[in-house]
């Protein structure tokens, strides 16, 4: 019981820090955000911040990482008889049905990453970790080991999702969340394109 409480407290502290980082970046600009200010905003010690994040960039992109981790977890839970791409599409759509993915917080992080070149190195680091985790999950699903296939699927799936999200955001104003049903339709169409093959 005590272990469960400690874990919940850790998760709550991590969430408070990433939300504080996002609030400050949106209000004052990324260049004016520091680890010290994030810790103050979340009402924790600076040492506590560094227990969870190595930099302000990592804290800012933690929301995107949480979304990707949820996709991998949902993919692992899909029925084994589903094809890899079908299971991936269903996992993505399942996560999208949760409030956090289509919410303002996630959209704000996506917009920040598009507008701030300083976030690119951390974005690439997060992306690499996401792709490794998904490739491992895909590899577990295969009847025979095929690392190249697993890595190609993982990389292509996340690239497809990024392109689809980017196009979805382009159709909206700075302060609005575009319709989720549009995103769901575009995700389904994009994964159908992958399944059919890209060679034309």
């Amino acid at each position: 019981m005590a272990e469960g409480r400690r874990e919940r407290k850790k998760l709550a502290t991590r969430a408070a820090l990433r939300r504080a980082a996002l609030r400050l970046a949106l209000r004052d600009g990324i260049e004016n955000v520091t680890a010290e200010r994030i810790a103050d905003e979340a009402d924790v010690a600076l040492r506590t911040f560094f227990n969870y994040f190595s930099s302000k960039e990592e804290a800012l992109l933690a929301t995107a990482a949480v979304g990707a981790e949820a996709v991998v977890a949902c993919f692992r839970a899909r029925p084994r008889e589903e094809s890899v791409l079908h299971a991936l599409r269903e996992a993505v759509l399942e996560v999208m049905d949760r409030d956090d993915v289509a919410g303002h917080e996630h959209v704000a992080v996506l917009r920040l990453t598009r507008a701030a070149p300083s976030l690119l190195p951390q974005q690439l680091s997060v992306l690499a970790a996401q792709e490794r985790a998904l490739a491992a999950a895909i590899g577990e699903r295969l009847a025979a080991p095929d690392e190249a296939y697993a890595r190609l699927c993982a990389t292509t799936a996340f690239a497809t999702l990024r392109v689809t999200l980017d196009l979805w955001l382009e159709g909206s104003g700075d302060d609005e969340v575009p319709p989720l049903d549009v995103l769901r339709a575009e995700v389904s169409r994009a994964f159908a394109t992958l399944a059919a093959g890209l060679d034309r």
Side-chain angles (χ1 to χ4, degrees):
M1 184 68 74
E3 186 68 30
R5 280 197 299 271
R6 278 196 297 271
E7 188 59 32
R8 287 195 297 273
K9 186 175 180 181
K10 286 181 180 179
L11 290 173
T13 301
R14 184 179 178 86
L17 284 165
R18 65 178 172 80
R19 289 186 177 124
L22 180 58
R23 280 196 305 273
L24 290 170
L26 292 174
R27 188 180 70 208
D28 303 330
I30 290 173
E31 66 279 1
N32 297 312
V33 177
T34 64
E36 290 84 357
R37 291 192 65 203
I38 295 170
D40 286 344
E41 180 80 6
D43 196 24
V44 300
L46 180 59
R47 182 176 63 182
T48 300
F49 172 88
F50 285 112
N51 286 339
Y52 290 89
F53 301 109
S54 63
S55 66
K56 69 177 184 181
E57 290 83 7
E58 185 181 358
L60 281 165
L61 287 171
T63 297
V66 167
E69 289 163 8
V71 169
V72 174
C74 287
F75 173 76
R76 287 183 185 276
R78 296 299 306 172
R80 304 289 285 191
E81 63 270 17
E82 291 181 351
S83 71
V84 169
L85 284 179
H86 179 80
L88 277 171
R89 185 194 69 193
E90 293 303 311
V92 169
L93 293 176
E94 183 179 337
V95 172
M96 282 181 181
D97 281 338
R98 303 173 186 175
D99 290 339
D100 56 345
V101 174
H104 292 282
E105 193 174 274
H106 192 82
V107 171
V109 170
L110 292 173
R111 286 187 169 129
L112 276 176
T113 58
R114 294 175 70 198
S118 63
L119 290 176
L120 183 57
Q122 182 62 37
Q123 186 180 19
L124 292 174
S125 176
V126 169
L127 177 60
Q130 293 168 351
E131 289 178 357
R132 284 194 299 272
L134 182 54
I138 292 170
E140 293 167 8
R141 196 180 190 87
L142 301 177
D146 190 338
E147 185 177 354
Y149 173 82
R151 290 171 65 179
L152 278 170
C153 272
T155 301
T156 305
F158 276 130
T160 298
L161 190 53
R162 285 196 311 278
V163 169
T164 305
L165 285 166
D166 199 48
L167 292 171
W168 179 63
L169 286 175
E170 284 179 6
S172 68
D174 289 343
D175 296 321
E176 64 175 319
V177 177
L180 182 58
D181 58 341
V182 172
L183 179 58
R184 286 180 58 86
E186 288 304 309
V187 166
S188 292
R189 188 170 71 88
F191 273 90
T193 299
L194 282 185
L198 293 176
D199 195 16
R200 294 185 179 177

